[in-house]
Amino acid sequence: MELTPHLHAFLWTSPSANNCNTYLLRSPEKTILIDPGHAAHFNHVRQGLQQLGMSIDDIDLVICTHAHPDHLEAVTLFKDKQAPFTLHTAEWRLVQDMAAYLKSAMNFDPDQFAPDFFLKEGELKIGDIELNVFHTPGHSPGSITRHWPAAAALFTGDVIFNNGLGRTDLPGGNGRQLKESIRRLARIDARWLLPGHGEPLSGADAVKTNFEQVEQMWFAYI
């Protein structure tokens, strides 16, 4: 789905299989993929790229909002490609702390998912793409949200959705932190809210209203 000429969404709409939305940022110089999702469902992204005349060989950077498998697992498909992969350091610490459980219970080897470099709060410049990185814990300790000022777009992962917010009952979740993160993001000027699951929101008024409604409807329960 083309949101703007430089921004595309590969939305996951299956009612039966869990996976995340994936987003593609394009410029004359660089191409960034956000949240590649599960490896088993990555053909969904491949097909979207093919429709744009692209392949995974054209990706310059892979960013994951957090390290839950439905956002992270397909980074293994880029290991032999040019694109490095990045994640927040707090999220990688959580993965390392849970390594024994992930290996025994989920057959998930964390060593396969080691980032090439770590994200930190502040500006991230990849060629002519400039992103603002915000550390937004609550759903997980190292959840990050990126703001792309050129498109007035917020990529929120599982922090906030269209009429919803991320769960806090998984390891490292924290309701107080999630509320603080959402309130912080609400102050950012955005015309697109692009969540990890569900439908995107467009229009500054719709984005602002969504932040207000999520706080009114959901904050009492976390």
Side-chain angles (χ1 to χ4, degrees):
M1 173 191 294
E2 179 180 291
L3 304 179
T4 78
H6 302 289
L7 176 59
H8 298 262
F10 308 133
L11 302 180
W12 185 254
T13 59
S14 170
S16 58
N18 180 47
N19 199 32
C20 71
N21 294 333
T22 300
Y23 298 99
L24 179 74
L25 290 65
R26 305 175 72 185
S27 78
E29 294 182 10
K30 296 294 180 180
T31 305
I32 297 174
L33 196 71
I34 294 177
D35 283 348
H38 272 304
H41 301 313
F42 191 73
N43 276 343
H44 151 73
V45 176
R46 287 187 194 274
Q47 291 168 3
L49 292 172
Q50 288 170 359
Q51 290 173 4
L52 298 172
M54 300 175 61
S55 73
I56 66 172
D57 294 317
D58 298 309
I59 304 300
D60 295 300
L61 176 67
V62 179
I63 299 175
C64 283
T65 56
H66 60 293
H68 291 161
D70 59 329
H71 292 252
L72 171 76
E73 192 183 20
V75 300
T76 56
L77 304 176
F78 291 84
K79 286 300 182 183
D80 297 325
K81 306 297 181 181
Q82 67 173 353
F85 151 59
T86 185
L87 187 73
H88 193 276
T89 183
E91 198 71 355
W92 183 239
R93 285 197 297 268
L94 176 68
V95 171
Q96 294 296 290
D97 290 344
M98 296 184 62
Y101 167 78
L102 293 170
K103 288 180 179 179
S104 63
M106 302 177 64
N107 195 30
F108 187 90
D109 183 0
D111 293 336
Q112 299 179 62
F113 305 96
D116 295 288
F117 68 95
F118 291 109
L119 281 177
K120 61 181 180 179
E121 178 125 356
E123 183 180 286
L124 175 67
K125 187 172 183 179
I126 306 296
D128 56 350
I129 298 179
E130 296 183 5
L131 302 175
N132 296 317
V133 177
F134 297 91
H135 180 208
T136 48
H139 175 64
S140 64
S143 286
I144 54 107
T145 296
R146 287 141 327 282
H147 178 229
W148 190 15
L154 273 178
F155 304 88
T156 59
D158 289 2
V159 174
I160 186 170
F161 307 122
N162 185 341
N163 196 34
L165 44 69
R167 58 192 294 184
T168 59
D169 59 334
L170 298 173
N174 184 298
R176 177 187 58 79
Q177 289 182 337
L178 184 62
K179 287 187 279 192
E180 290 174 355
S181 293
I182 291 172
R183 286 177 175 140
R184 184 184 184 199
L185 295 178
R187 297 193 292 267
I188 298 172
D189 178 29
R191 296 192 301 271
W192 290 98
L193 192 150
L194 304 173
H197 304 273
E199 289 291 324
L201 271 167
S202 65
D205 289 343
V207 172
K208 180 181 178 182
T209 297
N210 189 70
F211 275 108
E212 293 170 350
Q213 291 179 343
V214 165
E215 178 165 355
Q216 292 169 5
M217 295 176 62
W218 297 109
F219 275 26
Y221 300 100
I222 60 173

